[in-house]
Structures are given as structure tokens and as C-alpha cells.
Amino acid sequence: GIQVEQSPPDLILQEGANSTLRCNFSDSVNNLQWFHQNPWGQLINLFYIPSGTKQNGRLSATTVATERYSLLYISSSQTTDSGVYFCAVVGGATNKLIFGTGTLLAVQP
Amino acid sequence: DSGVTQTPKHLITATGQRVTLRCSPRSGDLSVYWYQQSLDQGLQFLIQYYNGEERAKGNILERFSAQQFPDLHSELNLSSLELGDSALYFCASSVLEDSYEQYFGPGTRLTVT
């Protein structure tokens, strides 16, 4: 099956800093989503981005499907950005999301 | 708020017991997915239903079963519970079944003692 790798595994930032999170996947995909899991455990949809670039406020994402990677950019980070960021893909004949192991982000004031 | 609701939020039960987790998808969504998040296995797909019919199965144990009802809500039944079943169980929904964005509910945190 498709393998999803995320890097870095963890990241500590000072408030106001920028960061880039990466997601590599091993095969072509039909769907790619980025999620933020907050400290209360909720999974929040950030982007649905099987290809191209999208922006939402301080967050943006780019997926280069032909090269099998996606990037999540966080600018001017805030303490509320802390949590785990997951990349998940759908590929092949099923519709199940395959999750990466996540990037644990801690933003310090 | 994703529009997907799950009850209960927390559940504490003993080994050997049976529990039922409930999920209501977003209005208009026909497809429901169940995922399990545990410390050792990460987030894993369990099962998918589309308009009442089972569509795909993942790493779902035989002790677990699910169904989707005519009003499109879904239930996940976990029986003969073991300590290792302690996890966060998420339900997600999407409009159709083919590669559409999935929206997740707040999850049910199950603790088996």
C-alpha cells in the first residue's frame, strides 16, 4: 500500500516564526488532506489539496503530485498553532485515508 | 465545527464488555468512515459505509462491527473489549464515496480498564 512519510517529526518554534512541514507519499494519489490535531484531540481540516496550491490566512499548502510530495507552510506562528499536523492520502481503489505519523509542533510564547 | 457529531465523547468500561459508538454525518453526506487512533498504531482506517452499504474494510477486528442506518447515522459496536482497544475513535463523512474531502467528528475516547 501507499506509504506516507512526514518530516520533521517534531518542531519547536518561537511565536512569530515561519515553518514548512513536508509530506512524501510513495504512489499516485486521488486525494490529499492536511489536518491539525489540537491538544484536545480534535482533527481539524486544513486543506483538501490533491494538487496545486491553496492559501487560508497564515497557512498555505502546495502539492506536487508528479513528484509525490506536499508542503504545509505556517507563517507568523501563534501558540494556538501547537498540536500535531497530519498529512493523509487516498490512493488506489479504496477511499480510505492513509495517515502519516504526523509532525508535533510546539509554539512557545 | 465540522458538522459531524459523535457520542459519547468519553467512555470508560471494563474488559470483556461491549460498547456502541454513534456517529451522525454532515447533512447531505452519504459516506461514513470509522478510524481508530491509538498510541502504537497511529490513525488507522477501520471501515466505510456508503448509503447504507459496506464499501471497504481496513484493519477492523472481528470483535468489531458497524452499520449505517437509513437516516445515514452509523454505529460502531465493539465487543469483548480488551485493554488494547483503548483509543480515540473517529467518524468521518464525505459527500460521495470517491476521493472526496473527508470531515472528521470530535471523536470518542474509549478507555478499557
Side-chain angles (χ1 to χ4, degrees), chain A residues 1-4 23-33 48-52 63-70 87-94 96-98, chain B residues 99:
Chain A
I2 296 177
Q3 305 296 315
V4 182
C23 171
N24 292 332
F25 42 96
S26 61
D27 205 342
S28 58
V29 299
N30 303 315
N31 171 7
L32 187 145
Q33 293 185 237
Y48 169 74
I49 188 166
S51 64
T63 297
V64 184
T66 52
E67 296 187 23
R68 299 180 184 166
Y69 73 89
S70 183
C87 167
V89 304
V90 171
T94 71
K96 64 177 183 180
L97 279 170
I98 300 169
Chain B
S99 303

Side-chain angles (χ1 to χ4, degrees), chain A residues 30-31 33 35 37 39-43 45-48 86 90 94-100, chain B residues 33 35 37 43-45 48 56-58 88 90 97-106 109:
Chain A
N30 303 315
N31 171 7
Q33 293 185 237
F35 296 91
Q37 187 167 37
W40 294 270
Q42 289 182 305
L43 274 174
N45 287 43
L46 297 178
F47 294 102
Y48 169 74
F86 288 103
V90 171
T94 71
N95 299 314
K96 64 177 183 180
L97 279 170
I98 300 169
F99 283 80
Chain B
Y33 309 79
Y35 293 85
Q37 185 177 29
L43 265 157
Q44 290 205 319
F45 168 76
Q48 178 203 359
K57 263 186 172 178
L88 195 48
F90 287 104
E97 59 174 330
D98 294 329
S99 303
Y100 284 81
E101 186 170 6
Q102 295 183 28
Y103 293 85
F104 280 70
R109 189 173 295 278

Side-chain angles (χ1 to χ4, degrees), chain B residues 21-82:
Chain B
L21 313 184
R22 183 187 168 101
C23 166
S24 292
R26 293 186 321 155
S27 177
D29 284 1
L30 298 178
S31 201
V32 168
Y33 309 79
W34 286 96
Y35 293 85
Q36 178 195 56
Q37 185 177 29
S38 61
L39 284 176
D40 54 345
Q41 297 289 326
L43 265 157
Q44 290 205 319
F45 168 76
L46 294 178
I47 197 164
Q48 178 203 359
Y49 281 83
Y50 174 74
N51 205 19
E53 293 188 7
E54 182 184 303
R55 274 294 192 254
K57 263 186 172 178
N59 298 325
I60 187 166
L61 300 171
E62 284 192 11
R63 300 183 285 108
F64 296 1
S65 65
Q67 52 184 326
Q68 185 179 27
F69 294 87
D71 67 351
L72 301 177
H73 91 271
S74 178
E75 293 180 357
L76 179 66
N77 300 296
L78 315 177
S79 63
S80 303
L81 285 168
E82 302 175 358

Side-chain angles (χ1 to χ4, degrees), chain A residues 73-88:
Chain A
Y73 306 95
I74 304 174
S75 65
S76 304
S77 57
Q78 301 175 356
T79 56
T80 51
D81 295 332
S82 297
V84 183
Y85 289 80
F86 288 103
C87 167

